[in-house]
Amino acid sequence: MIPHQNALYRAANIGDVGQVQKLIKERSADSEVLKRFVNAKRLDNGNTALHAAVLNNDPEIVELLMGAGADPDIRNGAGQTVLHYVDDLYKKIKRMEYPEDITQAYKNFLGVLKALFRPTKYISGASWNGLEIILEYLEKDQLQGGSINFVEGDSSLLAKAAWAHKGNIVNRLLKLIEVPITEKEIGAILDSVREGVHNAGELLRSLLTHSKTEFTREQLNRALFMVIIRTSGDDAKDLVNLLIEKKVILMKNLLIITPPCIGLYIMVRLLR
């Protein structure tokens, strides 16, 4: 017996499905006891049985543990949830470090993600690279199940991605989020654009096109200001069209600082 490991962790770590089932069944009469047992941490590194199963790319055991009440948001001693390992897992599969063939390894990987995202698709704790992988599967609708949980701690993943200047992730999240985004999230995205994120035009377009939010006049005017200082040419004209469609009320000071070609275009569009 390896010190610091409980029986469930040992069974999950060696891929013993029968033993995992047996241990869960023995405690199934009391849901609270079962939940504590399933989420118990190793004393040395804080990993749970779910951490072990995910690291082993074992969808069957991940499914069993999730069904028994395993919490994918639990952090180990290094502060990492199971989804922190998605990027590492994906790289190991590409390097063919698992015993099964690569096709089966990818199938198992998808099975692990599906199991983790039932009934709610938790994506908290993933690294940025890992999150890109998860979003790719979400976009292909390969992770059917419950609603997506984009909240992480006391903030939203969308706001955190914007503050970290992860423009590609912000774009993809905007297309997936099915509810109006908050004023804080809008502010974070506009701040990111103001600070010079490289795909400012695309970010603004996603915000205006895919968000289910009804924007305030102040927010739309601020977005127009970002268009003026961060985009040019056809990109700027397309964004101005989007803003005008949303009935933006232009402020005089914005027109004063607008480059002549864009200013003329705005005036022509407004007079139509």
Side-chain angles (χ1 to χ4, degrees):
M1 180 186 298
I2 300 174
H4 314 301
Q5 293 185 5
N6 62 36
L8 185 63
Y9 183 95
R10 289 196 299 278
N13 197 38
I14 63 174
D16 189 338
V17 175
Q19 181 67 0
V20 170
Q21 289 174 323
K22 177 176 178 290
L23 290 167
I24 288 172
K25 186 176 180 180
E26 289 173 352
R27 293 158 180 81
S28 59
D30 189 324
S31 60
E32 285 304 312
V33 169
L34 178 61
K35 188 175 180 180
R36 286 196 299 272
F37 178 68
V38 167
N39 290 305
K41 295 182 177 184
R42 281 183 55 151
L43 296 177
D44 56 347
N45 60 18
N47 279 351
T48 65
L50 189 61
H51 282 87
V54 169
L55 285 166
N56 287 337
N57 199 29
D58 192 328
E60 191 172 0
I61 291 182
V62 171
E63 183 86 47
L64 285 169
L65 293 171
M66 289 295 290
D71 183 355
D73 275 343
I74 287 179
R75 296 179 183 270
N76 62 14
Q80 298 160 342
T81 72
V82 292
L83 284 180
H84 177 85
Y85 298 108
V86 167
D87 185 34
D88 288 340
L89 200 55
Y90 196 73
K91 288 174 181 174
K92 284 182 179 179
I93 292 169
K94 291 178 76 173
R95 292 195 299 263
M96 295 185 286
E97 293 182 17
Y98 288 96
E100 63 270 25
D101 66 78
I102 194 164
T103 302
Q104 185 61 48
Y106 276 118
K107 185 177 178 181
N108 288 351
F109 179 70
L110 179 57
V112 165
L113 290 181
K114 281 183 174 180
L116 288 173
F117 291 174
R118 255 184 230 123
T120 301
K121 300 186 181 87
Y122 287 93
I123 53 179
S124 95
S127 66
W128 293 121
N129 288 338
L131 183 57
E132 295 244 29
I133 295 166
I134 293 167
L135 291 176
E136 184 178 338
Y137 280 99
L138 286 171
E139 287 163 349
K140 293 176 182 175
D141 200 26
Q142 291 181 302
L143 300 177
Q144 301 91 344
S147 59
I148 306 170
N149 183 348
F150 288 111
V151 176
E152 187 172 61
D154 59 355
S155 187
S156 77
L157 194 54
L158 181 62
K160 286 188 174 183
W163 288 325
H165 288 192
K166 302 294 180 181
N168 183 45
I169 289 176
V170 172
N171 281 329
R172 297 169 84 167
L173 287 172
L174 283 168
K175 295 172 186 176
L176 288 167
I177 293 174
E178 300 166 351
V179 296
I181 63 176
T182 65
E183 186 173 339
K184 183 178 181 180
E185 290 167 331
I186 294 170
I189 293 169
L190 293 177
D191 283 345
S192 181
V193 172
R194 186 193 69 226
E195 290 165 12
V197 66
H198 74 279
N199 53 348
E202 186 182 351
L203 208 56
L204 284 166
R205 187 175 289 104
S206 288
L207 178 64
L208 296 168
T209 305
H210 299 293
S211 172
K212 310 296 188 294
T213 305
E214 288 294 324
F215 295 96
T216 66
R217 180 185 301 181
E218 181 183 353
Q219 287 167 339
L220 288 169
N221 278 309
R222 190 176 170 206
L224 177 63
F225 183 78
M226 294 300 109
V227 169
I228 291 165
I229 65 172
R230 291 297 179 197
T231 61
S232 60
D234 290 339
D235 201 23
K237 291 177 182 178
D238 289 344
L239 287 164
V240 167
N241 280 333
L242 277 172
L243 286 161
I244 290 172
E245 285 168 15
K246 292 181 177 291
K247 299 180 174 60
V248 60
I249 308 298
L250 302 175
M251 295 185 294
K252 289 181 181 179
N253 63 323
L254 289 179
L255 288 174
I256 290 169
I257 65 168
T258 304
C261 58
I262 301 300
L264 179 62
Y265 179 77
I266 292 171
M267 294 302 293
V268 169
R269 285 289 281 112
L270 288 173
L271 290 171
R272 283 184 182 178

